[in-house]
Structures are given as C-alpha cells and as structure tokens.
Amino acid sequence: MSIDVEDWFQVGAFEKVIDRRDWDTLESRVEANTDAALAQFAAAGVQATFFTLGWIAARHPALMRRIVAGGHELASHGWDHARVFTMTPERFRDDLARARGALEDATGQAVTGYRAPSFSIDARTPWAHGILADAGYAYSSSVAPVRHDHYGWVDSPRRMHRPIAGSDLIEWPITLARVAGRDVPAGGGFFRLLPNMVVDRAVRRSNVRDAHPAMFYFHPWEIDPGQPRVTRAPIRSRLRHYSRLPAMAGKLDRLLASHRWGRVDAIVAAQAATL
C-alpha cells in the first residue's frame, strides 16, 4: 500500500496552470488530508509507505513524524514533483539529495525508497536507476508499464526486478488492471473511476495467480472533495482530478478490508532473495 504525499496544487494535471513560485500562497490541505489517510490506515490495521515530496517535508516536519510514529515507511517522491525526464542526470542527483535531506531531517529516519513523480522513469531516462543505486536507495517504484499521455514505459517488466545488472537496487512497478482490452494503473484516478471489483480482481490476480505482490497507490488530495477548483485548467485535466472524489474514502476503506497490505520496504526485503 502506497500513498504519494503531495498537495492538490502540485499535481501533474495542473503543472501548466499553477506556477511553482505561487505554491506558498495557496491553501495547503496536505496535512489534514494525510492525517485522514493515517486514520483510515489505523482503523484498518494497515501499515503503508508514504512517498513524500521534500517540499512538503520541509514545511510539515511534524506530519512526517506522525507518519513514522504510526509505523509507516517514509520514502522520497523527489523535491517538488518535477518529472525525471525533464531533468539532466546532474539535476536529478541534486533533486534526490535535497528531498532526502528534508525527509531525514524531519524524522531522523533513513530514507531508502523512491518513487518518481508521475512515474517518470522511462525509456528517456536510462541513467536514472543507476543514479538511484549510486545514492544508496534499496528500491524504486517509479515505472508504469503502460501507454499513457503523461507517463509510461510499456516495454518495462511488470514484476519486481533488478533494473541494473550486478546492483542490489529493485524496481517495483505499479500493478495494472485490464479494462476493455486496455491496461491501466490499478490505483489513483483509475481506482476512483472504476468499480472496486476491477481493482480487486487485478490485486488478486497479481497476488495469487502471478504470485507477485500487488502495488497500489493513491494521493491524499483524492480523499478531499472540498479542495479548491482550478477552473482555468483544461477540461480533461479537471475531469481527471475531480471525478468521484466524494466516493474515494469509502472505496479505499473497502479495498483496505479486502486484502492484506504492507509497507513497501518490508515486502521488497522479503522478495529480494527471489529476484
């Protein structure tokens, strides 16, 4: 179980209409929304991994400590949601170091996991996994093996694997669901839009038939139907971001109750010897 901790104004859907320089002037809702997710996890007895922006950690260190105190893993989501394929290798190294510094300063806990914003490690970034390995990360969950207008590496393996020969680094891609002959991520906006049974089936297929742990993800803003509306964003972006927000908390409760979930680092460690 994983959650990508970013605020409503930091998402890829709004990156062309909300300037990063304006972020500190906007209403922050990430702390309340993440606390709501923590409460849902506690009620379900689930421990998860929180892939968190360094920008958030620097402004909400007490929230980072609550995440860790709840028994969850704190991992990196980069500094400010810049996609990896927009960076040079040098900038990527700097982004990793800055984000990790903020996360570790907030909690005193080592950060060993990483998820690229918008699953933006793909065929355009053949150097990214090497940089993660050099930086000492144990795992990445940064690849979506699908075709999508915002992300995707369709030829990448769909199972947990070692992307660099001779390296201990593990990549765990997100789990896919099959819908009308098309593969889509079994999480995030697709989870909000699809019936629970579609994602349930995808999780069970991965866990049981394929004998490979499923990877689910969502965002704190997805359980916040009261968030501000960005009316100047393109209609497609607004539909993706706002559709079925009121249904999300209930859908998530049902999913949490339907399967066994755990922290990414613990599951990676348990699977490492088989890879």
Side-chain angles (χ1 to χ4, degrees), residues 132-227:
L132 286 166
D134 289 345
Y137 284 87
Y139 74 85
S140 161
S141 180
S142 302
V143 173
V146 296
R147 286 189 177 88
H148 189 279
D149 59 335
H150 279 194
Y151 53 77
W153 192 354
V154 70
D155 296 325
S156 182
R158 299 188 176 195
R159 300 172 63 90
M160 200 182 298
H161 62 281
R162 299 187 190 275
I164 305 171
S167 170
D168 290 335
L169 180 75
I170 290 172
E171 172 64 42
W172 186 357
I174 56 171
T175 296
L176 306 179
R178 193 76 174 167
V179 181
R182 176 190 174 197
D183 289 325
V184 300
F190 288 101
F191 176 66
R192 278 184 282 125
L193 293 170
L194 295 170
N196 265 53
M197 63 177 290
V198 174
V199 174
D200 277 337
R201 185 166 60 240
V203 171
R204 293 185 194 282
R205 182 183 66 219
S206 184
N207 287 343
V208 179
R209 190 196 71 184
D210 299 339
H212 179 264
M215 169 65 77
F216 179 81
Y217 78 99
F218 72 105
H219 309 84
W221 55 262
E222 291 188 275
I223 55 175
D224 179 16
Q227 66 189 268

Side-chain angles (χ1 to χ4, degrees), residues 9 18-26 55 59 80:
F9 48 79
I18 299 178
D19 195 305
R20 279 177 167 78
R21 292 171 295 183
D22 295 331
W23 282 1
D24 274 318
T25 70
L26 301 173
W55 192 96
R59 288 159 176 79
D80 66 352

Side-chain angles (χ1 to χ4, degrees), residues 5-258:
V5 182
E6 58 204 48
D7 221 324
W8 61 272
F9 48 79
Q10 297 174 310
V11 301
F14 299 151
E15 64 189 359
K16 294 182 179 179
V17 295
I18 299 178
D19 195 305
R20 279 177 167 78
R21 292 171 295 183
D22 295 331
W23 282 1
D24 274 318
T25 70
L26 301 173
E27 178 192 359
S28 177
R29 300 171 71 91
V30 69
E31 187 160 16
N33 292 338
T34 305
D35 279 334
L38 283 168
Q40 284 192 264
F41 289 154
V46 166
Q47 291 185 335
T49 292
F50 287 66
F51 292 103
T52 304
L53 294 180
W55 192 96
I56 295 291
R59 288 159 176 79
H60 301 281
L63 174 62
M64 303 302 102
R65 291 190 285 273
R66 291 199 295 278
I67 290 170
V68 171
H72 306 287
E73 179 193 10
L74 189 66
S76 175
H77 198 34
W79 175 255
D80 66 352
H81 214 261
R83 301 179 196 226
V84 177
F85 56 69
T86 70
M87 303 186 206
T88 63
E90 292 73 22
R91 185 184 166 200
F92 183 51
R93 287 189 188 94
D94 291 344
D95 185 272
L96 286 176
R98 189 179 185 191
R100 180 186 249 170
L103 294 162
E104 293 184 345
D105 285 349
T107 64
Q109 300 282 320
V111 169
T112 62
Y114 174 78
R115 171 168 289 158
S118 299
F119 301 103
S120 53
I121 289 181
D122 61 22
R124 290 169 287 185
T125 58
W127 38 264
H129 281 123
I131 291 174
L132 286 166
D134 289 345
Y137 284 87
Y139 74 85
S140 161
S141 180
S142 302
V143 173
V146 296
R147 286 189 177 88
H148 189 279
D149 59 335
H150 279 194
Y151 53 77
W153 192 354
V154 70
D155 296 325
S156 182
R158 299 188 176 195
R159 300 172 63 90
M160 200 182 298
H161 62 281
R162 299 187 190 275
I164 305 171
S167 170
D168 290 335
L169 180 75
I170 290 172
E171 172 64 42
W172 186 357
I174 56 171
T175 296
L176 306 179
R178 193 76 174 167
V179 181
R182 176 190 174 197
D183 289 325
V184 300
F190 288 101
F191 176 66
R192 278 184 282 125
L193 293 170
L194 295 170
N196 265 53
M197 63 177 290
V198 174
V199 174
D200 277 337
R201 185 166 60 240
V203 171
R204 293 185 194 282
R205 182 183 66 219
S206 184
N207 287 343
V208 179
R209 190 196 71 184
D210 299 339
H212 179 264
M215 169 65 77
F216 179 81
Y217 78 99
F218 72 105
H219 309 84
W221 55 262
E222 291 188 275
I223 55 175
D224 179 16
Q227 66 189 268
R229 262 41 179 182
V230 183
T231 57
R232 64 186 182 278
I235 183 64
R236 187 176 188 179
S237 296
R238 283 181 279 148
L239 286 172
R240 282 175 168 171
H241 189 86
Y242 297 118
S243 293
R244 303 206 69 207
L245 292 179
M248 181 63 176
K251 288 172 66 69
L252 182 60
D253 277 338
R254 292 191 292 276
L255 187 74
L256 291 171
S258 298

